[in-house]
Amino acid sequence: MAASTVETRENNNNNRRMKEIDALISDSDPESSSTSEDVNYMEHVAELVQREFGADVKSLKKVNDLMGKLREENTSLEKQVLTVSSSVPLRVSAALSAAEESRTRLDALLQKERLLSNTLQQHLQSAQIWADNLLKTLGQLDIVERHMKYLQCLARIEELSDSIQQFLMTNSVWEAIGAVGSMATLDMGLQESGCTHLQTFLRETLHFWHKILKDKLASDFEDVLAQLHWPIVSPPVQSLSPPANAQELNSQLELLVSQLLSLQTSDDLISEKKEVVILPGLLHSTPLSLPIQIMLLPLSKRFKYHFTGNRQTNSLNKPEWYLTQVLVWMGHNSNFMEEKIQSILDRAGGNVNAKVGKVKSVAVEKVDAMLSAEGAWSSQYKDITDMDELKAPDCAETFMTLLLVITDRYRSLPCPKAQLSFLALQRELVDDFRIRLTQVMKEESRQPLGARYCAVLNAANYISTVLSDWGDNVFFLQLQQAAVSEGEEVLGPLGATESGRLASLEGSLFEELLALLERLRGDMIGRLLDAVMKDVKEKAQPYCRDRWISLPSQCDQATMSLSSAACPMLLCLRDQLLQLQQLLCLPLFQMFWQGLAERLDLFLYQDVILYNHFNEGGAAQLQFDMTRNLFPLFGHYCKRPENFFKHVKESCIILNLKVGPALLLCDVLNQAEKGLEEGEASLRPQEPTPESALNELGVYKLAPKDVQILLNCRSAWLNH
C-alpha cells in the first residue's frame, strides 16, 4: 500500500514538472501560441526535450537551469532586435537618397547625349556636301595626275629617241646604248600598266632604235670577223699569216663584243615578246648572247642549206649526219672561240660559255625534232621478239646511235685532251636527255600504267645499260686514266675521292650520270608500284573483311575452291602483270614484279591476317587461296614464288597447325619469354629454343613475338 502511494506521488510530481516545462516554453516565446500548429517548430521542441532530458525522470531536475538559460538567450535576442530595428531605417534612407541622386545625374547625361547626337547629325549632313565635292575634286586631280604622268612618259620617250638619234649621228655608240637601255628599263616599268597604247608605242620605238643600233654593230662585227677569217669551215692552215692590222682588229673585236653585250638587256626584252612554241617535254633554252648569235649566222645558213628542205641530208633517221657536221665545225672553230671570244666575254663580265652556246643553238632544234617525231616513243623492233629485249623506244636508240657516232669520230684523235672535250660534250648531251626524260615522265605520271610512261622508263634503262657497258670499254678506260691527269681542264675540278676512284678503275666516267639515271628509274618503278597497289587494295577490301572466324571446316566441304571475295583482287593482279610484261623490258619487269610481291606480302600479312581471327576453316581457306591461287600467278616468272611471300607463307603454317603442336609451340614460346623476364641466361639444355622450334615447322622469317600474335589470331585460343 505504501509502495503504491509513493508511485502515485511520483507520477503527480512528473505531471507537475511537465506542466512547468510547457509554461516555460510559453514564457520564452510569446509568439508560440500563434504558431503552435507549425509542425517543424514542434518537432524542434520535441528534439530539444529529448536531447536535454531523455527518458530518465530524474533529469527533470535540470528544468530550472534550462529555463534560466533560455530566458537569458531570449533577453539577448530582444536587445539585438531593438538595435537592428533602430539602425536599418537610417541605412535604407541613405541608399534611397543616393539612388535618387544617381537617377537625376543619369537623366542629365542622357539629355546631354541627345543634344550632342542631334548636333553631330546636323554637322555630318552639312559636311557630306563638302566631302562629295572634295572626292570629286580629288578624282579630277587623279585624272590630271595620270594624264601628266602619261605626257611625261611620252616626253621621256621622245627625249630618249632624240638622244639616240643625236648619239648615232655623232657616232657616240656607248651613249646610244645607254639611252636604249634606259628606254628598255622604262618599258619594263610599264609592263604592269594598263596603258596598252603607250606600251605599244614605247615597244615599237624601242624596237626601231634597237634594230638600227644592232644592225650597225652587227655590220661592223661581221666585217671584223670576216677579216679574222670567221667562220672556219675547213681545216685551219697553220701557215696562214695573221693580218697586218691584227692588233687593231683585236681591239675592234673586243670593243664590238662589249657593246653588243651591253645591248643584251633590250635584246632579251624584245625576244621575250616574240611568240615561242615549246614542244611538250622539251627544255626551254635561254637566249644566246648577241655576239654569239651574230657569229652563228653564217654557220646557221650553211646548216639550213644542208639539213632542211628536200635535200637527202635532211633525214631524221640519220642524226649522225648533221651532228657530225656540227662536231666538225666545233673542232675547226674551237681555238678561235676559246682564245679570241671567251677571253673578251670574261673581261666584259658576261657569264657566257662561248663554245657551249654555239653547240646548244645549232643542234638543239634537231634533237627536239628527234624527241617529238611520230613514233619516237615506240620501238622499231616491237614485232621482232628476239631483237626487242630492252624494248628501247626509237628516240632513245637514235640518241645512243648519235653518241656512238660521236665516239667513232673522236676515237682517232691523237690528243687525249681533245678526246676529253668530246667526252664532256657527250656527258652533257646525256644529262640533257635525262632531264627531258624526267619532264616527259612528270607529264605522264597521271597515267603511270600507260604505254608512253613505260616507254620513258625503258629509255632510261636502255641508256643506263649502254653507259654501263661503255664504262668497261677499253677506249673509255684509257680516257679514264687521261681524265685523272689532265681532265680537270675539260671535265671540271675532280674531288680527291672521285680522282682516286677513277685512277683505281673502281668508278667510271659515267658514274654520276648512271646514279642519276638509276634514281630516275627507281622513282618511276615506285610510281608504277604505287598505282598497281592502289588498285589491288581497292579490289581486296571484301577479302579483308571476310568472315574468317566462321567459315566451314575443310572436312565439311567436298572440295576446296577459291574465295569469291578474292576473285577481284587476283583478276586485277593478273591483268596488271600481263599488261606490264608487254610494256616493260625484262630487267625492269623483274624489278617490278618482285617489288609488287614484296608489297603484296606485307599488305596481306597486315591487313588480312593480323586484322582478323581464324577458325579452322578460315585458316584452311586462306592457305588454299594463297598457295593454290596467288602464288601460281607469280609462278610464271620464277620457280618458287612462295619465297617472295614469306610473311604469308609462314603465317599460313602457324594458323593451320594442329591443336597439339600449336599448344607445344605456345608453351615453348611462353617458357622462353618467362625466362627472359626472370633474367635467365638460357633455356635448359633439354628444352628447344623458340628459333629451333620454329625452324622445324618451316618458319624462318617471323620472330617469336610475331608467332605469338598469330597464335592469338586462332579462334581456338579465344576461349583460353
Side-chain angles (χ1 to χ4, degrees):
M1 189 73 178
S4 60
T5 303
V6 172
E7 183 177 358
T8 302
R9 186 183 302 146
E10 190 70 24
N11 290 335
N12 293 333
N13 291 335
N14 289 341
N15 292 334
R16 186 175 63 254
R17 289 173 180 173
M18 291 300 297
K19 291 179 180 179
E20 290 176 355
I21 291 174
D22 293 337
L24 177 63
I25 294 173
S26 300
D27 292 340
S28 62
D29 190 0
E31 297 180 358
S32 62
S33 60
S34 62
T35 59
S36 58
E37 295 180 0
D38 189 344
V39 178
N40 293 332
Y41 178 74
M42 295 304 295
E43 290 179 353
H44 175 69
V45 172
E47 181 181 357
L48 175 64
V49 173
Q50 182 67 25
R51 184 175 67 249
E52 293 293 334
F53 304 107
D56 189 6
V57 177
K58 295 181 180 181
S59 62
L60 293 175
K61 296 178 181 180
K62 298 187 293 183
V63 169
N64 293 329
D65 296 336
L66 179 62
M67 187 171 63
K69 181 179 178 181
L70 291 175
R71 284 175 178 170
E72 291 177 0
E73 291 180 358
N74 185 51
T75 303
S76 176
L77 290 173
E78 287 178 351
K79 291 180 180 180
Q80 292 179 9
V81 169
L82 291 174
T83 302
V84 172
S85 300
S86 61
S87 61
V88 166
L90 296 177
R91 295 179 182 176
V92 172
S93 177
L96 290 174
S97 300
E100 186 66 26
E101 183 180 357
S102 298
R103 191 185 69 175
T104 303
R105 285 186 293 178
L106 178 61
D107 292 340
L109 289 174
L110 290 175
Q111 181 65 22
K112 187 176 180 180
E113 185 270 337
R114 285 193 291 269
L115 292 175
L116 288 175
S117 178
N118 294 334
T119 303
L120 180 60
Q121 284 295 114
Q122 294 174 2
H123 177 72
L124 290 176
Q125 290 176 359
S126 61
Q128 185 63 38
I129 301 174
W130 293 94
D132 294 340
N133 294 333
L134 181 60
L135 288 176
K136 183 177 181 181
T137 304
L138 290 176
Q140 293 173 349
L141 287 175
D142 183 62
I143 294 173
V144 172
E145 184 181 8
R146 286 191 282 114
H147 288 173
M148 287 293 296
K149 290 183 178 180
Y150 196 96
L151 293 175
Q152 289 174 358
C153 190
L154 283 175
R156 178 59 176 165
I157 296 172
E158 292 293 340
E159 178 186 353
L160 290 173
S161 182
D162 294 339
S163 299
I164 295 171
Q165 184 177 12
Q166 292 296 326
F167 291 144
L168 290 177
M169 291 176 63
T170 58
N171 202 27
S172 302
V173 178
W174 280 113
E175 289 78 3
I177 292 174
V180 170
S182 299
M183 192 176 290
T185 303
L186 182 60
D187 182 275
M188 288 187 289
L190 287 177
Q191 287 183 357
E192 301 297 329
S193 171
C195 304
T196 56
H197 296 294
L198 181 62
Q199 289 177 332
T200 303
F201 173 71
L202 176 56
R203 179 57 55 85
E204 291 177 352
T205 305
L206 175 62
H207 190 277
F208 173 78
W209 289 117
H210 176 271
K211 185 177 185 303
I212 291 177
L213 189 57
K214 180 180 177 180
D215 291 345
K216 172 180 170 52
L217 294 176
S219 177
D220 296 341
F221 189 46
E222 288 173 351
D223 291 340
V224 173
L225 289 175
Q227 296 182 58
L228 292 173
H229 310 293
W230 174 269
I232 305 172
V233 295
S234 58
V237 181
Q238 297 294 335
S239 61
L240 186 63
S241 59
N245 58 343
Q247 186 174 359
E248 181 183 356
L249 289 175
N250 290 334
S251 300
Q252 292 180 6
L253 180 67
E254 183 166 1
L255 176 64
L256 289 169
V257 170
S258 301
Q259 290 174 342
L260 286 169
L261 287 175
S262 300
L263 198 62
Q264 187 75 43
T265 302
S266 57
D267 188 78
D268 291 343
L269 185 64
I270 293 174
S271 300
E272 287 178 3
K273 295 300 180 181
K274 294 179 181 178
E275 186 175 350
V276 180
V277 178
I278 303 175
L279 295 175
L282 302 182
L283 292 176
H284 176 47
S285 56
T286 56
L288 295 174
S289 63
L290 272 177
I292 304 299
Q293 291 182 30
I294 296 171
M295 294 181 71
L296 285 174
L297 288 177
L299 290 175
S300 297
K301 290 179 180 178
R302 287 178 168 82
F303 188 87
K304 291 178 180 178
Y305 175 80
H306 291 291
F307 302 108
T308 57
N310 297 324
R311 297 187 177 276
Q312 295 181 352
T313 51
N314 180 28
S315 174
L316 289 177
N317 295 326
K318 298 293 183 180
E320 63 272 15
W321 289 353
Y322 59 82
L323 284 166
T324 299
Q325 184 62 65
V326 171
L327 292 173
V328 170
W329 288 339
M330 285 175 55
H332 293 166
N333 296 279
S334 177
N335 290 336
F336 183 89
M337 297 297 293
E338 186 172 357
E339 296 174 3
K340 298 285 186 182
I341 304 301
Q342 189 63 58
S343 58
I344 298 175
L345 293 174
D346 294 339
R347 286 194 295 272
N351 188 18
V352 179
N353 188 318
K355 294 191 295 184
V356 173
K358 187 170 83 69
V359 175
K360 288 186 181 174
S361 175
V362 175
V364 70
E365 293 183 1
K366 287 293 182 178
V367 175
D368 290 349
M370 177 178 65
L371 288 172
S372 59
E374 184 179 359
W377 299 104
S378 61
S379 174
Q380 57 182 327
Y381 306 113
K382 59 183 179 181
D383 297 329
I384 308 176
T385 306
D386 296 339
M387 298 183 63
D388 198 30
E389 293 182 357
L390 293 178
K391 290 185 171 64
D394 191 52
C395 62
E397 195 154 5
T398 304
F399 177 75
M400 295 310 296
T401 302
L402 162 67
L403 294 184
L404 183 60
V405 171
I406 294 176
T407 304
D408 293 339
R409 295 292 296 180
Y410 73 81
R411 185 190 296 270
S412 57
L413 292 177
C415 178
K417 184 177 179 180
Q419 292 177 335
L420 288 174
S421 298
F422 282 95
L423 176 65
L425 170 64
Q426 287 179 310
R427 299 205 317 177
E428 184 178 350
L429 289 174
V430 171
D431 192 50
D432 180 71
F433 195 82
R434 176 192 63 82
I435 295 174
R436 293 164 187 255
L437 289 179
T438 303
Q439 292 174 334
V440 178
M441 179 270 289
K442 290 181 178 178
E443 292 177 358
E444 299 296 325
S445 59
R446 295 182 179 179
Q447 297 178 341
L449 301 177
R452 190 169 183 180
Y453 183 93
C454 294
V456 174
L457 181 54
N458 287 330
N461 180 75
Y462 174 70
I463 295 173
S464 178
T465 302
V466 175
L467 291 181
S468 298
D469 294 340
W470 285 8
D472 298 329
N473 186 276
V474 176
F475 172 69
F476 288 105
L477 290 175
Q478 294 173 348
L479 276 185
Q480 187 168 326
Q481 294 298 320
V484 176
S485 58
E486 54 184 326
E488 292 192 1
E489 299 180 10
V490 180
L491 302 178
L494 301 174
T497 304
E498 186 177 1
S499 298
R501 288 178 57 82
L502 292 177
S504 62
L505 300 181
E506 293 182 6
S508 73
L509 293 170
F510 306 102
E511 190 171 21
E512 183 178 355
L513 292 172
L514 287 172
L516 293 173
L517 288 169
E518 177 62 28
R519 186 166 65 182
L520 173 62
R521 184 171 59 182
D523 181 41
M524 295 188 69
I525 290 180
R527 292 171 186 257
L528 266 181
L529 290 172
D530 290 341
V532 173
M533 281 303 299
K534 180 181 178 181
D535 197 10
V536 170
K537 288 180 179 179
E538 291 178 356
K539 300 295 192 298
Q541 290 308 305
Y543 194 66
C544 296
R545 297 190 299 267
D546 209 351
R547 298 183 59 83
W548 299 100
I549 198 172
S550 59
L551 294 181
S553 63
Q554 188 173 1
C555 60
D556 296 335
Q557 304 181 56
T559 56
M560 295 286 291
S561 61
L562 175 65
S563 299
S564 59
C567 292
M569 174 184 69
L570 295 178
L571 287 175
C572 176
L573 278 172
R574 184 200 64 181
D575 295 342
Q576 300 287 18
L577 287 170
L578 290 176
Q579 177 184 356
L580 291 173
Q581 186 180 17
Q582 297 296 322
L583 294 176
L584 296 176
C585 65
L586 182 59
L588 290 178
F589 181 69
Q590 287 179 340
M591 294 174 61
F592 167 77
W593 76 255
Q594 290 176 9
L596 179 62
E598 180 181 356
R599 293 194 182 192
L600 188 60
D601 179 44
L602 287 176
F603 168 70
L604 293 173
Y605 176 67
Q606 295 173 354
D607 289 39
V608 176
I609 297 175
L610 296 182
Y611 189 76
N612 292 284
H613 286 84
F614 297 82
N615 64 354
E616 181 182 353
Q621 184 64 56
L622 175 69
Q623 187 173 34
F624 181 84
D625 293 342
M626 298 295 104
T627 58
R628 300 292 297 274
N629 294 277
L630 176 63
F631 296 171
L633 272 182
F634 292 83
H636 297 286
Y637 317 118
C638 63
K639 293 182 179 179
R640 299 183 64 85
E642 64 274 8
N643 290 337
F644 294 92
F645 295 88
K646 291 184 178 180
H647 288 92
V648 173
K649 181 186 74 171
E650 295 180 2
S651 297
C652 290
I653 293 175
I654 298 300
L655 292 175
N656 284 276
L657 283 177
K658 299 297 183 182
V659 176
L663 290 173
L664 291 175
L665 177 60
C666 187
D667 182 63
V668 171
L669 297 177
N670 291 334
Q671 289 295 330
E673 185 178 8
K674 182 179 179 181
L676 290 175
E677 292 177 355
E678 295 177 356
E680 295 181 8
S682 61
L683 297 174
R684 291 189 294 271
Q686 65 273 18
E687 293 184 357
T689 63
E691 290 76 12
S692 61
L694 292 175
N695 293 345
E696 290 180 0
L697 297 174
V699 177
Y700 301 91
K701 179 71 173 178
L702 297 177
K705 290 186 177 180
D706 299 328
V707 174
Q708 286 182 318
I709 295 174
L710 286 173
L711 288 173
N712 290 330
C713 291
R714 294 167 58 113
S715 62
W717 255 245
L718 295 178
N719 297 325
H720 295 279

